[in-house]
Amino acid sequence: MSKWIISSFESLASTNDTAKEFDPYSVIHAHMQTKGRGRNNRSWQSMDGNLFCSIVLPLTNNASAYSFVAGVALAQTLAHLSPRIKWPNDVLIEGKKIAGILLEPSDDKLIIGIGVNVKNHPTENMLYQTTSLAALGDDVSALQVLDRLLENMTDVMNILDKHGFSKIRQTWMEYATGLGLPIKVRLPNMELTGIFETIADDGALILGTTEGKRTITAGDVFMIGKNNE
Ligand code: BTN
């Protein structure tokens, strides 16, 4: 039996904002968002038929683990399409972004906002190439994706509770794109290039550069020479 309590709305500014008013284990879903947001203060284009939802959890001191928990749960939800995860939690199919995750703490809660391109995907002025389930021939609805996602969230959260972050990290690595390859990391005021060596025990990206190893805790990753993946 699921512990999630789903509230569904026709239209919201951002499901992450509404979620802040709800208790842990609530899930806020909207058919449309008018002010969806993404990581690093970017906007999230909320197109018809896509999934917009936010999961409310109690805020714990291992909150950052949930970035990886959500990434793995999303990848499992799309497993039939051979997804990859680009650090920290963008889900890609055929090298194109299909889903994004935005973690925001709020008082004693952690809000995990998830957007999945189900029926449509934006094409203009995008930082990365994008795709959608429909474009890949998968004719499902946003609510069907949400159902599967919540089942997988439950399973992956149970794994975190029982086995700790190391097990989540191991599964995340199986889905990772770019491991061992040259990448560019865009930070707020600089860019670094190097080899994506691994992720640390706390999920930080370890970049091997000509000046030694750098530990990156936040940034945008671009594959070098692989079509903007
Ligand atoms: C990203 O990749 O930049 C994260 C995108 C997160 C988008 C989702 S859609 C549902 C939730 N509400 C928001 O305003 N943002 C997240």
Side-chain angles (χ1 to χ4, degrees):
M1 205 186 72
S2 172
K3 59 184 168 188
W4 305 111
I5 301 161
I6 305 175
S7 298
S8 208
F9 295 83
E10 202 46 50
S11 177
L12 292 174
S14 158
T15 56
N16 266 30
D17 288 339
T18 302
K20 291 174 183 170
E21 294 153 25
F22 281 73
D23 291 333
Y25 306 107
S26 301
V27 176
I28 306 307
H29 161 258
H31 291 279
M32 181 43 68
Q33 288 188 129
T34 53
K35 244 184 148 184
R37 57 177 179 272
R39 290 194 300 117
N40 301 329
N41 294 322
R42 288 190 285 267
S43 71
W44 182 258
Q45 285 189 46
S46 302
M47 304 177 82
D48 254 2
N50 290 349
L51 175 63
F52 317 109
C53 68
S54 299
I55 296 171
V56 187
L57 293 177
L59 186 62
T60 50
N61 55 13
N62 63 346
S64 60
Y66 285 88
S67 165
F68 298 87
V69 166
V72 167
L74 249 180
Q76 289 178 343
T77 302
L78 306 178
H80 55 297
L81 295 168
S82 308
R84 314 297 303 168
I85 309 177
K86 184 163 67 63
W87 188 91
N89 54 25
D90 283 347
V91 178
L92 313 181
I93 293 175
E94 296 177 357
K96 298 176 184 163
K97 181 160 168 170
I98 197 159
I101 299 171
L102 175 66
L103 257 71
E104 293 180 327
S106 171
D107 299 328
D108 54 353
K109 292 179 274 198
L110 176 68
I111 312 295
I112 307 177
I114 299 175
V116 182
N117 297 335
V118 178
K119 297 292 185 192
N120 286 293
H121 59 98
T123 50
E124 280 168 28
N125 302 322
M126 299 307 293
L127 194 58
Y128 308 107
Q129 288 192 56
T130 62
T131 190
S132 65
L133 292 174
L136 295 161
D138 191 4
D139 184 24
V140 285
S141 71
L143 284 172
Q144 286 170 319
V145 176
L146 177 61
D147 271 357
R148 292 204 311 250
L149 173 63
L150 293 177
E151 271 178 36
N152 290 322
M153 272 302 285
T154 304
D155 291 348
V156 183
M157 283 167 59
N158 284 338
I159 292 171
L160 178 68
D161 287 348
K162 274 199 200 126
H163 304 286
F165 182 66
S166 63
K167 184 74 189 159
I168 304 298
R169 176 181 177 276
Q170 186 189 331
T171 310
W172 188 96
M173 298 275 277
E174 286 162 18
Y175 285 110
T177 188
L179 271 175
L181 295 176
I183 59 170
K184 181 171 78 182
V185 185
R186 189 173 293 165
L187 305 173
N189 40 23
M190 66 187 294
E191 282 188 356
L192 293 170
T193 53
I195 302 293
F196 177 11
E197 293 193 347
T198 187
I199 60 170
D201 290 345
D202 61 356
L205 184 154
I206 307 296
L207 187 71
T209 76
T210 47
E211 281 143 36
K213 288 191 202 307
R214 299 284 297 252
T215 301
I216 316 274
T217 55
D220 286 311
V221 168
F222 300 85
M223 308 303 297
I224 294 179
K226 271 190 82 188
N227 204 7
N228 218 17
E229 187 178 314

